[in-house]
């Protein structure tokens, strides 16, 4: 799977840095070389890859399970090594442009911007669904645009341009959609998957050819646009939205993100805490009051969701995003500068 192949690089490179052993570095980046040699259009990779040949075994492209962390780790590798490996910034930039061109579309009634899926690959029709897992993306986009600085700082730094402004607008619109997935339910907690009402034209290939427009901020419109199917209505205490909310707060200093995070935390406290107060349960149906509990507390609830909520309300100079990188399990790595290891490969094609 793409996610498994493309989601060990931060860990392996840090291990190489700590031990001085090059093998961890070279093994981790060899995987990305093999994947990139496929030269996929727009930097968008199908989710299934053969471990024997390194060739893709399907056409399906999506940013949820089996694919999400590959994209997340492109920009984070560049930041982890303090900009010493521009190849990963190039791969991230290409992939983000591909996401905007091929996956970004908007809903029918309130113009919510969301990330669709391509079950048949590029040039096929889109599927108008977005998993909660995809809500890692707005934070990653903002992180890539600013490098972890605040927007005010980044705008004063060399290299800020209209494209980065556009990326920040996209991050804000996607963040609002993720927040909307919470606001449309009776419990105030997001479902695992949301489907959306969308015009047929917006499902055609390359929907992102049109610029992203702000949504109308109508919660009534959000509810009209959002479809939560019974099999998708569970809440598994996931972290992706609060992860991005935390990053958006740190980068923009807009207090609305703390307000959203606090509302989410209160909803978790109200509906998922056990009767004895000694744990929280995932839920079967976020549309039902009271929601039935699944008698299960996910490990990432403690390790990631609550960690990001804690950091959201921590002082902004605690673990600054300009000095650390969070891996996909919310473990904290310092940014490193080192002379011993260098990128050991070059891109053969850019997949444009």
């Amino acid at each position: 799977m793409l996610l498994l192949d493309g989601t060990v690089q931060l860990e392996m490179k840090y291990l190489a840095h700590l031990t001085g052993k090059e093998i961890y570095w070279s093994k981790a980046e060899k995987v990305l070389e093999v994947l990139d040699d496929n030269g996929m259009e727009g930097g968008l990779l199908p989710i299934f890859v053969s471990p024997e040949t390194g060739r893709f075994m399907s056409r399906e492209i999506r940013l949820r399970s089996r694919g999400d962390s590959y994209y997340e780790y492109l920009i984070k590798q560049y930041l982890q090594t303090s900009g010493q490996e521009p190849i990963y910034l190039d791969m991230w930039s290409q992939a983000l442009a591909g996401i905007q061109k091929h996956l970004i579309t908007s809903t029918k009634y309130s113009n919510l911007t969301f990330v669709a899926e391509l079950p048949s690959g590029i040039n096929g029709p889109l599927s108008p669904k977005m998993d909660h897992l995809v809500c890692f993306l707005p934070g990653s986009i903002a992180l890539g645009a600013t490098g972890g600085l605040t927007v005010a700082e980044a705008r004063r730094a060399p290299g800020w341009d209209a494209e980065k402004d556009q990326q920040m607008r996209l991050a804000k619109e996607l963040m609002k959609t993720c927040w909307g997935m919470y606001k449309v339910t009776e419990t105030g907690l997001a479902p695992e998957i949301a489907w959306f009402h969308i015009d047929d034209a917006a499902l055609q290939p390359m929907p992102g050819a049109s610029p992203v427009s702000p949504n109308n901020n109508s919660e009534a419109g959000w509810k009209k646009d959002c479809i939560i199917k019974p099999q998708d209505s569970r809440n598994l205490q996931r972290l992706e939205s609060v992860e991005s909310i935390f990053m958006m707060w740190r980068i923009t200093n807009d207090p609305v993100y703390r307000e959203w995070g606090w509302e989410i935390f209160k909803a978790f406290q109200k509906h998922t805490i056990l009767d004895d107060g000694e744990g929280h349960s995932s839920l079967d149906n976020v549309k039902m009051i009271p929601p039935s509990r699944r008698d299960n507390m996910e490990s990432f609830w403690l390790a990631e969701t609550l960690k990001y909520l804690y950091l959201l309300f921590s002082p902004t100079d605690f673990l600054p995003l300009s000095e650390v990188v969070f891996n996909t399990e919310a473990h904290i790595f310092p940014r490193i500068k080192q002379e011993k290891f260098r990128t050991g490969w070059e891109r053969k094609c850019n997949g444009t």
Side-chain angles (χ1 to χ4, degrees), residues 38 56 61 111 126 136 140 167 223 262 278 294 342:
N38 283 278
F56 291 107
I61 294 170
N111 204 41
L126 279 76
F136 82 92
S140 293
Q167 290 172 1
K223 290 181 179 181
W262 185 244
E278 296 187 358
R294 296 169 63 92
R342 286 287 183 269

Side-chain angles (χ1 to χ4, degrees), residues 282-348:
S282 52
L283 305 177
D284 281 319
N285 188 349
V286 295
K287 298 180 67 179
M288 183 173 64
I289 299 290
S292 59
R293 296 170 180 159
R294 296 169 63 92
D295 192 25
N296 173 69
M297 186 172 75
E298 300 288 349
S299 60
F300 48 73
W301 164 249
L302 296 174
E304 301 181 71
T305 308
L306 287 179
K307 179 185 287 186
Y308 283 122
L309 284 167
Y310 174 80
L311 290 172
L312 176 62
F313 297 100
S314 297
T316 54
D317 60 353
F318 179 61
L319 298 175
L321 294 180
S322 58
E323 297 179 11
V324 300
V325 174
F326 291 83
N327 79 346
T328 194
E329 304 300 332
H331 299 308
I332 303 157
F333 294 148
R335 298 197 189 188
I336 57 177
K337 288 185 178 180
Q338 51 81 42
E339 301 296 331
K340 188 168 186 179
F341 307 121
R342 286 287 183 269
T343 309
W345 66 286
E346 296 181 357
R347 303 189 75 187
K348 294 180 180 178

Side-chain angles (χ1 to χ4, degrees), residues 20 30 37 60 68 78 97 103 125 140 148 152 192 194 196 217-218 231 348:
K30 181 62 178 178
D37 281 352
E60 182 178 3
D68 48 358
Y78 172 72
L103 296 177
S140 293
E192 181 73 357
F196 296 100
N217 290 324
S218 165
Q231 65 269 28
K348 294 180 180 178

Side-chain angles (χ1 to χ4, degrees), residues 80-349:
Q80 181 191 31
T81 53
S82 303
Q84 292 178 310
E85 298 188 283
I87 191 171
Y88 298 115
L89 176 61
D90 183 57
M91 292 173 70
W92 163 254
S93 299
Q94 181 196 7
L96 180 55
I99 290 167
Q100 293 179 83
K101 180 178 180 180
H102 296 287
L103 296 177
I104 296 295
T105 189
S106 57
T107 61
K108 182 175 182 178
Y109 299 109
S110 59
N111 204 41
L112 281 170
T113 299
F114 71 97
V115 184
E117 299 183 0
L118 286 168
S120 303
I122 289 177
N123 298 322
L126 279 76
S127 176
K129 64 189 291 275
M130 179 170 154
D131 285 37
H132 188 278
L133 287 165
V134 183
C135 288
F136 82 92
L137 188 59
S140 293
I141 293 173
L143 194 62
T146 65
L149 300 172
T150 66
V151 170
E153 293 169 333
R155 284 191 171 128
R156 294 193 296 267
W160 188 267
D161 54 21
E163 182 180 22
K164 293 186 185 299
D165 262 325
Q166 185 276 331
Q167 290 172 1
M168 284 303 303
R169 288 195 296 272
L170 176 60
K172 290 176 182 179
E173 289 301 317
L174 289 175
M175 190 74 263
K176 192 176 293 182
T177 299
C178 292
W179 165 239
M181 291 168 66
Y182 287 78
K183 291 295 287 182
V184 299
T185 71
E186 285 75 4
T187 58
L189 293 171
E192 181 73 357
I193 302 170
W195 295 74
F196 296 100
H197 285 291
I198 185 171
D199 288 324
D200 290 341
L203 291 176
Q204 299 310 305
M206 293 189 291
S210 301
V212 172
S213 301
N215 75 77
N216 61 19
N217 290 324
S218 165
E219 291 184 20
W222 297 356
K223 290 181 179 181
K224 193 174 181 181
D225 269 328
C226 190
I227 306 164
I228 303 174
K229 299 181 179 182
Q231 65 269 28
D232 302 328
S233 63
R234 62 196 179 279
N235 178 281
L236 301 183
Q237 306 167 291
R238 290 202 184 275
L239 61 125
E240 290 79 16
S241 285
V242 293
E243 173 188 12
S244 282
I245 286 173
F246 157 66
M247 291 186 180
M248 294 298 290
W249 155 246
R250 286 286 185 90
I251 289 169
T252 68
N253 287 328
D254 187 338
V256 73
Y257 297 115
R258 277 185 160 176
E259 294 169 12
W260 292 357
W262 185 244
E263 290 299 315
I264 290 171
F265 175 71
K266 288 195 298 182
F268 274 124
Q269 284 291 89
K270 182 176 181 179
H271 296 294
T272 72
I273 196 166
L274 301 182
D275 294 338
D276 59 8
E278 296 187 358
H280 294 74
S281 173
S282 52
L283 305 177
D284 281 319
N285 188 349
V286 295
K287 298 180 67 179
M288 183 173 64
I289 299 290
S292 59
R293 296 170 180 159
R294 296 169 63 92
D295 192 25
N296 173 69
M297 186 172 75
E298 300 288 349
S299 60
F300 48 73
W301 164 249
L302 296 174
E304 301 181 71
T305 308
L306 287 179
K307 179 185 287 186
Y308 283 122
L309 284 167
Y310 174 80
L311 290 172
L312 176 62
F313 297 100
S314 297
T316 54
D317 60 353
F318 179 61
L319 298 175
L321 294 180
S322 58
E323 297 179 11
V324 300
V325 174
F326 291 83
N327 79 346
T328 194
E329 304 300 332
H331 299 308
I332 303 157
F333 294 148
R335 298 197 189 188
I336 57 177
K337 288 185 178 180
Q338 51 81 42
E339 301 296 331
K340 188 168 186 179
F341 307 121
R342 286 287 183 269
T343 309
W345 66 286
E346 296 181 357
R347 303 189 75 187
K348 294 180 180 178
C349 49

Side-chain angles (χ1 to χ4, degrees), residues 18-53:
L18 291 176
T19 64
K21 294 183 179 180
E22 187 268 344
I23 188 170
Y24 301 121
W25 189 284
S26 60
K27 291 292 185 181
E29 66 175 11
K30 181 62 178 178
V31 174
L32 293 180
E33 179 183 9
V34 170
L35 293 175
D36 195 60
D37 281 352
N38 283 278
M40 302 305 294
E41 182 178 349
L44 301 179
L45 277 53
I47 58 173
F48 291 112
V49 59
S50 167
E52 286 81 22
T53 67

